[in-house]
Amino acid sequence: MALPPQRPVGPARASRPRHLARTAAALAATLALLSPFGAAGAASATEREAPAADVDVRVNTQASLGRLSDTARGVNAAVWDSHMNDTEVAALMKTADVGAMRYPGGSYSDIYHWETHTAPGGYVAPGTGFDAFMGTVRATGAQPILTANYGSGTPEEAAGWVRYANVTKDYDAKYWEIGNEIYGNGHYGSGWEHDDHTDKSPREYARQVRAYATAMKAVDPTIKIGAVLTTPGNWPDGVVGEGDPGDWNRTVLSEVTDVIDFVSVHWYAGGSDTTADAALTRLTRLPGELREVRNQIDRSAGADSPRIGIALTEVNTNTGGARLTARPNGLFAADAFMTALENGVFNVDWWNTHNGPGEITTVDGETDYGDMGMLSGGSCTGDVCQPAANTPFHPYYGMKMTSELGTAGDAMVAASSSAQEVSAHAVRRRDGRLSVLLINKNPDAARTVDLEYAGFTPSAATPEVSRYARGNSDITDVTDSGASASQVTVPPYAMLTVTLTPQPGTGPGASAAGAPGTPELEAVTDSTARLSWEGATGATRYLVQERDGAHTRLVGETTGTSVTLRNLPPGSSHTVNVLAADAAGRISAPSDPLTFTTGTPPDAACALTFHRDTSWGNGFVTTVSVQNLSDTPITGWTVDWDWPTDGQSVSSGWSATFQQTGRHVRVTAPEGAGPLAPDGASTASFGFVGANDGPNPDPTSFRLNGAVCSGG
């Protein structure tokens, strides 16, 4: 976050308008009264017929999305926050299983000097020094994520902080970022981030990251260094500054992947519709944006990519003006934490612990204080005052609900919902239980959910159910309210976590085989991929499954610990897990997932270049050139590709005719165009203006008259 609203020290972050309307209510509001989780006195499930389900949720425990880390849930803390180290803060965060606390506070990081506890040009509250912060971190049972001062600091100052933290004080501070949103230093025209460097380019930032990493790891080689990236699909993604070899991310990653251990990105839903309801819908963009971060790391780091993690060190609905303390933002918090963690992030940090009031509105019958904090700061706007300091707002309970779902070491598994306004997330616990989180974003109607499982057989025991809904002042145990393993009703604007025990003798716990190691990609071509993994104890054979949403299909089987997958489409992306079977055929828990993309054929009958000439965050200009490498001329050519994400499109073009259906684009030779000569003797070129609403990755496969081309 750029700045605390009550004490600005510079220009605010540029807005990034986006808008998607909230899905219309599908059921009558009166159904809420029939919910077994509704108001006290409602009829029990045994006194009436079960309602007809209007949502189907499928959970596949054989499709792992990775494991929850011990730093999964995090919050930001800021030196201008006088309540940052209140005793109540540590107690509340410990109860919510918070594992990470980020310091010293967004853009303040680039004006803050740790040794003197000063931030020239900004306000520093009493009692917020580093040692006091570490007292809160330790009382919480969390780890610190520390942002070294890049804007007005030096590598030597950062190294001194490492020495004090880990040598002098033995705090074992593991995660260190180099600066906050440094791409906002004015290099691209908009500047909110303090940066004293004369050269504000991404290349200079990369050079300095190397210097910081060298100095800091010379003190403690065990620390993890993080570099700042911009989130794909968010300004200034794709923008190339004057004299730069590429945009921010490509330039930085091309020069630092050998010295960093993670990247830090921020995500605010934004949009011209500043309600949290709209932000809940915009959250559907986050998975694609995080996948593109991983793709960018893959392209720069190659085989070293799996070593580099992704931390989402700031998240909220908006950078100001949104409905921030109200119930829908609590739903957003739960959905955002789990969505990010399921898509390859090891840490998610909410902005902020306390932040300060903004615009006062009424949402869902409650006062919304326009405050980006999880906890009240006890401040006033005019004659409207917040509740007592450290009173939790709804986002706190959203984060806390995710701790009902799972803790460090538990495996996230695939879950899909048939309704956009009902989100589903699932975790297979280490003890064999399965927890499912259901989030009903409809403010007017309850939704009845049919639950279906793959790889899991629930026992006849009554599931444990936790609820956060209207009328609840905290996460509430409603185990006796009528839920079953096959059906549950979620009240309007509510969250439920359902935890089930497995039927005895079923599931991974019944198998003598342990879970295999995460598969690694040894080699990939246009149509094959060779995978290997660490073997599991008790395994007699291994199954390789490809995941599509919450569905999986068998694509390989072997008694060894490697397999070659064949007949894969060129330029196609695949996500696979490995499972082990014991001598009785009982299946283990799945490995963590691997995602890979096949290449293009080296001996193709055509060659194509897809060159991004310029980009500006939500639009771009591209030039495409294609050659015919066959031994016969081609008259009347077409070029086809598929966009990797839904938000990409062709707006206008030249030197060809363009048609887009869904993600598919077909480009046809202009009238009167001559033939494409054989053996690459001529080139056809065309260009277009494109638009992107979200991430903007390049297509991975192109076809000339149906034949796959090399290049791209």
Side-chain angles (χ1 to χ4, degrees):
M1 180 59 187
L3 301 166
Q6 65 269 52
R7 300 182 187 275
V9 297
R13 178 201 309 267
S15 63
R16 306 164 196 171
R18 295 180 182 175
H19 173 76
L20 282 177
R22 175 170 57 83
T23 305
L27 298 174
T30 53
L31 281 179
L33 300 177
L34 301 178
S35 166
F37 305 103
S44 71
T46 60
E47 296 171 330
R48 59 178 172 80
E49 293 184 3
D54 49 23
V55 181
D56 294 317
V57 166
R58 175 184 172 86
V59 178
N60 188 343
T61 63
Q62 293 184 339
S64 171
L65 307 181
R67 295 186 179 275
L68 290 168
S69 73
D70 56 358
T71 56
R73 279 170 289 272
V75 295
N76 278 271
V79 293
W80 42 261
D81 172 15
S82 60
H83 294 289
M84 181 181 80
N85 295 310
D86 289 356
T87 303
E88 299 93 329
V89 172
L92 285 164
M93 296 307 169
K94 186 179 183 68
T95 300
D97 195 36
V98 166
M101 305 183 87
R102 183 173 179 251
Y103 177 90
S107 292
Y108 259 59
S109 305
D110 287 305
I111 60 172
Y112 178 72
H113 300 283
W114 71 271
E115 193 166 15
T116 58
H117 189 49
T118 58
Y123 170 74
V124 175
T128 60
F130 177 55
D131 288 320
F133 165 73
M134 285 304 303
T136 300
V137 170
R138 289 188 156 183
T140 300
Q143 296 183 47
I145 296 179
L146 302 172
T147 310
N149 183 343
Y150 175 86
S152 59
T154 64
E156 292 72 28
E157 181 182 27
W161 196 0
V162 175
R163 182 176 295 105
Y164 179 78
N166 290 356
V167 178
T168 303
K169 302 294 289 189
D170 196 26
Y171 286 145
D172 192 26
K174 183 177 180 181
Y175 297 101
W176 298 77
E177 300 172 284
I178 311 303
N180 190 58
E181 299 166 349
I182 302 300
Y183 48 80
N185 61 6
H187 182 66
Y188 299 107
S190 180
W192 62 86
E193 198 73 20
H194 187 92
D195 185 359
D196 287 339
H197 296 88
T198 303
D199 184 351
K200 294 177 170 53
S201 69
R203 178 168 279 176
E204 174 63 12
Y205 175 70
R207 190 183 74 79
Q208 291 288 342
V209 166
R210 299 190 72 87
Y212 273 74
T214 299
M216 296 165 75
K217 287 194 173 185
V219 176
D220 183 354
T222 69
I223 65 172
K224 305 293 185 183
I225 297 291
V228 171
L229 298 186
T230 185
T231 305
N234 293 264
W235 188 92
D237 174 49
V239 179
V240 178
E242 183 177 356
D244 293 341
D247 66 5
W248 181 274
N249 286 7
R250 287 169 175 79
T251 302
V252 171
L253 285 172
S254 68
E255 300 188 25
V256 303
T257 55
D258 60 323
V259 297
I260 63 171
D261 304 282
F262 68 99
V263 299
S264 171
V265 294
H266 294 170
W267 194 83
Y268 292 87
S272 56
D273 184 342
T274 59
T275 64
D277 281 346
L280 282 162
T281 301
R282 288 192 287 270
L283 188 58
T284 58
R285 301 181 180 135
L286 183 57
E289 294 173 347
L290 292 174
R291 283 195 296 271
E292 182 57 15
V293 174
R294 175 52 61 191
N295 290 340
Q296 291 175 357
I297 298 171
D298 288 345
R299 287 192 289 268
S300 293
D304 206 30
S305 177
R307 181 185 59 78
I308 300 174
I310 303 172
L312 185 59
T313 53
E314 290 185 22
V315 67
N316 208 313
T317 52
N318 213 311
T319 56
R323 311 314 176 215
L324 295 162
T325 66
R327 184 172 302 278
N329 210 25
L331 307 183
F332 175 89
D335 214 4
F337 269 89
M338 292 312 304
T339 297
L341 293 167
E342 290 164 350
N343 285 276
V345 169
F346 72 87
N347 161 255
V348 183
D349 302 321
W350 188 261
W351 182 272
N352 198 8
T353 301
H354 309 88
N355 204 67
E359 179 185 0
I360 306 298
T361 58
T362 299
V363 179
D364 197 39
E366 299 177 307
T367 300
D368 186 289
Y369 299 96
D371 190 321
M372 300 180 75
M374 279 198 159
L375 307 178
S376 171
S379 302
C380 300
T381 297
D383 59 355
V384 178
C385 292
Q386 295 181 338
N390 298 314
T391 300
F393 292 133
H394 289 291
Y396 170 80
Y397 294 112
M399 178 180 68
K400 184 179 178 182
M401 181 60 92
T402 68
S403 69
E404 297 284 315
L405 187 65
T407 57
D410 292 341
M412 297 170 288
V413 296
S416 63
S417 170
S418 64
Q420 182 178 351
E421 65 184 9
V422 176
S423 293
H425 306 278
V427 167
R428 182 180 54 77
R429 304 293 193 106
R430 286 164 293 170
D431 61 10
R433 293 180 300 157
L434 175 68
S435 293
V436 183
L437 169 62
L438 302 170
I439 304 171
N440 181 5
K441 295 170 275 189
N442 188 318
D444 304 314
R447 302 305 299 267
T448 300
V449 179
D450 270 352
L451 293 166
E452 175 190 352
Y453 311 97
F456 181 82
T457 304
S459 73
T462 300
E464 299 176 17
V465 183
S466 299
R467 178 188 69 192
Y468 188 68
R470 292 175 179 134
N472 295 137
S473 59
D474 202 339
I475 309 297
T476 303
D477 184 350
V478 290
T479 295
D480 297 328
S481 52
S484 71
S486 59
Q487 190 177 96
V488 61
T489 300
V490 191
Y493 260 12
M495 300 177 278
L496 291 179
T497 295
V498 182
T499 299
L500 308 109
T501 56
Q503 181 176 306
T506 67
S511 176
T518 305
E520 297 181 359
L521 183 65
E522 290 190 345
V524 64
T525 69
D526 59 311
S527 61
T528 67
R530 182 167 179 79
L531 315 177
S532 64
W533 55 89
E534 184 178 340
T537 58
T540 59
R541 60 190 175 98
Y542 297 93
L543 310 175
V544 181
Q545 293 192 141
E546 181 171 4
R547 175 169 59 85
D548 180 9
H551 294 267
T552 54
R553 63 188 182 91
L554 184 67
V555 293
E557 186 172 354
T558 179
T559 57
T561 56
S562 64
V563 70
T564 298
L565 307 181
R566 304 185 186 279
N567 300 318
L568 305 175
S572 58
S573 182
H574 306 267
T575 298
V576 296
N577 296 103
V578 181
L579 301 97
D582 66 12
R586 296 168 299 196
I587 303 300
S588 73
S591 71
D592 285 347
L594 167 71
T595 298
F596 65 89
T597 301
T598 56
T600 57
D603 55 350
C606 51
L608 183 142
T609 59
F610 185 91
H611 184 264
R612 193 74 58 84
D613 301 325
T614 186
S615 298
W616 53 91
N618 61 352
F620 56 101
V621 176
T622 293
T623 299
V624 181
S625 299
V626 62
Q627 292 179 309
N628 168 26
L629 303 182
S630 71
D631 56 6
T632 58
I634 296 176
T635 302
W637 51 264
T638 60
V639 172
D640 292 82
W641 71 80
D642 290 291
W643 293 116
T645 70
D646 290 331
Q648 296 173 285
S649 61
V650 174
S651 301
S652 61
W654 53 92
S655 301
T657 301
F658 297 80
Q659 180 182 10
Q660 181 165 339
T661 303
R663 292 187 183 183
H664 185 76
V665 177
R666 169 158 288 188
V667 183
T668 305
E671 186 176 349
L676 271 173
D679 301 321
S682 65
T683 300
S685 296
F686 55 88
F688 64 91
V689 177
N692 60 290
D693 184 8
N696 191 27
D698 288 345
T700 56
S701 179
F702 300 86
R703 295 177 182 268
L704 174 64
N705 285 16
V708 178
C709 298
S710 62

